[in-house]
Amino acid sequence: MDCDGQHTVQVAGLLLCLTQTVLSMVLPNSTHFQSILDKYKDRDDAWWSARPRGKRAISESDMHLILDLHNKLRGQVYPPASNMEYMVWDYELERSAEHWAHACRWEHGPSHMLTQIGQNLGAHWGRDRPPTFHVQAWYDEVRYYSYPYPQECNPHCPFRCSGPVCTHYTQMVWATSSRIGCAINVCYNMNVWGMIWAKAVYLVCNYSPPGNWWGHAPYKHGAPCSACPASYAGGCRDNLCYKDGGVERRPAPEIEETNYIEPEPDPVRDREPQPRAQSPNPSPSDNQGRSQVVSTEQMCQQVECETKLRDQCKGTTCNRYECPPGCRDRPGKVVGTGYYDMQSSVCAAGIHAGIIDNDGGWLDVTRLGRKQQFTKSYKNGIQSVGKNRSANSFKVATVPVKAITCETTVAVFCPFKKPVRHCPRLYCPRNCLHDTRARVIGTKYYSDKSSICRAAIHAGVIQNESGGYLDVMPVDKRRQYSGSYQNSITSESLTNPTGGKAFRVFAVI
């Protein structure tokens, strides 16, 4: 595992990790921070169970997996540890991790806390991985570590890194780091060392007290539990110092669990959709929960490397695709150059044309009708084949992204035309909810005179507090648009419009 002069890359292009290395024994503001920790020290189980939690930054199941794996790995270190403490979940550390995960910055932070906590970071793109995948990868750095001090492992990593990294491992097994709190977030277009990851799954784990003190071993070598702090009263569990009846600071179980967290706090998408309100103009006394609607329907289709573009898939919703990573290594058949036979793999054609690379990504497809001949060529690691028979064809293009305002309408930005055209992927700003100058006409299908961003909030595609990305599908006009009250927006009804077209909004997940 090399640092390439800067940071650790554990699976090239897909899995990355960062760890904080503490370079000083002086802890600024440590008295203040300790006072914060002290207020939780003697709380009993009932207090933690009754603790108001609000929105969770991580699911209950993922929390248990991360915590249990930490304790399992801490209990099996070699040489064995005499003072390794049992790790418990800390709700405040989870919250601090959540705030940083939502910043979507591939660096340690926030800066004012870095002397008060330890921190490990992990990110991946593409194939789904459980958060424990990163935790195990952190621990596996043990192969670069020689107890009691690192030899070939550079303690300066990742700041002035010129060799293997082991500081994820040493933070995990730092004996006195007995509290942990983590958060998971999906970050769109995250800048990872100059590369833009379209949909990075970002894991932040904060530890307290912090570890990785320069020149110190992470734990004392000896018989397990033989050198535990006096506060543990001789308790031992699975080779870890354990306080019988001690508090495992775990919030109460969630009713609904999800491994998916949106980029802003207080997301709507981690709840199940509620029934839509039937009245277009509800009274203030109506049940507000009935107005909460979530839409996760996507216009962009997720496909496999071998998926072919076939004539049976037509329309705008078949024009945008998301390809997984690794398609250059297991490509489907590609017929043509520049334009491709309909029996070609969509993703392999995208790589061949240079629209995406082996990390996958989004692409747009345009159908071109019949071509008389298809030319073979070798491009970007993929060999296409030729064909001398007439066949339907398509071409591939990048998916442009445009930022719009709360007032932008489809009629101005991307009106419906035949043949069907591509609209850019759009990014809406925050707080369009109360921009009453921007009309919303319809439900599900909206008049193209409607605000795109407010229609997206109304449809549950984005949240007012965070804004975000969405796809727009212009369609022909509707004879009637039905108003409704959803997500704090009352849309208008319109019957027999004299002109204009319509559109739908789709989530980008």
Side-chain angles (χ1 to χ4, degrees):
M1 182 188 312
D2 293 326
C3 291
D4 298 330
Q6 296 184 65
H7 303 281
T8 304
V9 179
Q10 293 194 323
V11 178
L14 291 179
L15 173 67
L16 302 172
C17 296
L18 282 178
T19 188
Q20 175 198 349
T21 304
V22 180
L23 303 180
S24 172
M25 289 296 291
V26 180
L27 211 63
N29 301 319
S30 60
T31 302
H32 171 70
F33 185 66
Q34 188 60 45
S35 68
I36 296 176
L37 298 178
D38 286 344
K39 70 180 181 179
Y40 303 111
K41 186 179 296 181
D42 298 319
R43 301 292 189 179
D44 58 17
D45 289 314
W47 186 89
W48 284 98
S49 298
R51 173 99 165 87
R53 294 178 14 253
K55 293 294 170 189
R56 289 299 308 280
I58 192 169
S59 73
E60 181 80 5
S61 60
D62 284 342
M63 181 195 78
H64 283 276
L65 289 171
I66 289 173
L67 182 60
D68 292 345
L69 184 56
H70 270 78
N71 280 321
K72 174 186 175 182
L73 296 174
R74 285 165 68 86
Q76 67 182 36
V77 294
Y78 185 83
S82 63
N83 67 329
M84 187 72 71
E85 299 181 33
Y86 186 86
M87 189 171 276
V88 297
W89 194 265
D90 191 292
Y91 183 64
E92 297 304 317
L93 289 175
E94 176 191 324
R95 278 297 175 213
S96 64
E98 178 189 24
H99 293 154
W100 190 244
H102 283 296
C104 290
R105 294 169 60 184
W106 183 240
E107 59 187 72
H108 288 291
S111 58
H112 69 275
M113 290 191 68
L114 292 183
T115 56
Q116 304 167 16
I117 60 170
Q119 188 176 73
N120 279 350
L121 307 178
H124 69 268
W125 188 91
R127 182 156 54 100
D128 288 341
R129 302 178 186 273
T132 48
F133 186 87
H134 291 286
V135 176
Q136 186 65 55
W138 296 339
Y139 184 85
D140 289 345
E141 292 175 2
V142 65
R143 63 184 180 273
Y144 300 115
Y145 182 74
S146 298
Y147 186 89
Y149 302 112
Q151 302 298 324
E152 296 179 354
C153 173
N154 190 331
H156 292 284
C157 290
F159 305 105
R160 299 190 301 276
C161 187
S162 59
V165 174
C166 64
T167 43
H168 298 95
Y169 165 76
T170 51
Q171 174 58 80
M172 279 187 65
V173 300
W174 203 267
T176 57
S177 293
S178 59
R179 291 183 291 276
I180 183 175
C182 305
I184 299 172
N185 185 34
V186 176
C187 295
Y188 296 100
N189 295 338
M190 184 175 174
N191 189 327
V192 181
W193 305 332
M195 298 178 293
I196 302 301
W197 285 15
K199 194 164 58 177
V201 180
Y202 192 19
L203 172 66
V204 178
C205 284
N206 287 344
Y207 301 83
S208 181
N212 285 342
W213 296 108
W214 186 309
H216 288 253
Y219 57 84
K220 296 177 182 178
H221 168 44
C225 301
S226 62
C228 291
S231 60
Y232 285 90
C236 187
R237 175 176 174 178
D238 299 328
N239 297 332
L240 303 173
C241 303
Y242 181 76
K243 187 182 299 182
D244 288 331
V247 177
E248 293 190 26
R249 295 168 179 162
R250 305 185 180 190
E254 296 174 305
I255 296 174
E256 295 137 7
E257 298 179 5
T258 174
N259 191 33
Y260 182 76
I261 306 294
E262 280 297 309
E264 290 295 327
D266 192 23
V268 173
R269 289 194 180 111
D270 63 353
R271 298 194 299 269
E272 290 295 322
Q274 299 295 319
R276 296 185 180 186
Q278 298 301 311
S279 170
N281 297 296
S283 69
S285 62
D286 284 346
N287 184 353
Q288 295 300 309
R290 289 179 56 82
S291 74
Q292 297 302 309
V293 176
V294 177
S295 174
T296 57
E297 184 180 2
Q298 298 185 74
M299 185 180 85
C300 182
Q301 296 188 45
Q302 295 179 329
V303 294
E304 301 298 327
C305 293
E306 298 80 12
T307 301
K308 299 177 180 178
L309 190 72
R310 301 179 185 275
D311 281 329
Q312 64 202 39
C313 186
K314 299 180 180 179
T316 308
T317 53
C318 297
N319 286 349
R320 186 158 289 169
Y321 297 87
E322 182 179 2
C323 294
C327 290
R328 187 172 56 210
D329 305 321
R330 45 191 177 92
K333 186 177 182 181
V334 179
V335 182
T337 300
Y339 54 86
Y340 302 92
D341 181 274
M342 294 289 285
Q343 299 301 315
S344 298
S345 157
V346 177
C347 299
I351 295 175
H352 184 266
I355 302 303
I356 60 173
D357 57 23
N358 201 43
D359 288 336
W362 289 296
L363 55 81
D364 279 341
V365 166
T366 301
R367 288 160 180 76
L368 300 175
R370 299 188 76 82
K371 297 290 183 181
Q372 299 302 313
Q373 186 177 18
F374 297 86
T375 305
K376 69 177 182 179
S377 65
Y378 181 81
K379 290 187 175 183
N380 302 311
I382 290 184
Q383 176 68 60
S384 70
V385 299
K387 183 176 178 180
N388 292 319
R389 295 194 305 273
S390 174
N392 286 321
S393 64
F394 68 94
K395 67 178 181 180
V396 289
T398 57
V399 176
V401 179
K402 300 290 185 181
I404 59 176
T405 67
C406 296
E407 296 82 19
T408 303
T409 66
V410 169
V412 172
F413 187 81
C414 187
F416 173 78
K417 293 180 180 179
K418 291 184 178 180
V420 175
R421 61 180 295 193
H422 296 291
C423 287
R425 174 156 290 165
L426 304 180
Y427 183 83
C428 288
R430 303 180 185 186
N431 301 323
C432 289
L433 175 64
H434 302 296
D435 191 340
T436 54
R437 299 167 297 173
R439 302 170 65 188
V440 179
I441 305 169
T443 300
K444 187 174 181 179
Y445 288 89
Y446 298 93
S447 164
D448 65 358
K449 296 179 175 60
S450 301
S451 156
I452 298 172
C453 295
R454 295 192 77 229
I457 296 172
H458 181 266
V461 167
I462 63 172
Q463 304 162 51
N464 177 61
E465 294 79 9
S466 60
Y469 293 92
L470 58 97
D471 282 329
V472 171
M473 183 179 76
V475 296
D476 213 342
K477 67 180 180 180
R478 293 295 186 266
R479 294 182 179 179
Q480 180 174 338
Y481 299 94
S482 299
S484 64
Y485 180 77
Q486 294 178 175
N487 301 322
S488 302
I489 292 179
T490 301
S491 66
E492 304 174 36
S493 297
L494 183 62
T495 303
N496 296 321
T498 56
K501 304 296 183 180
F503 70 95
R504 292 187 64 191
V505 286
F506 293 88
V508 174
I509 300 176

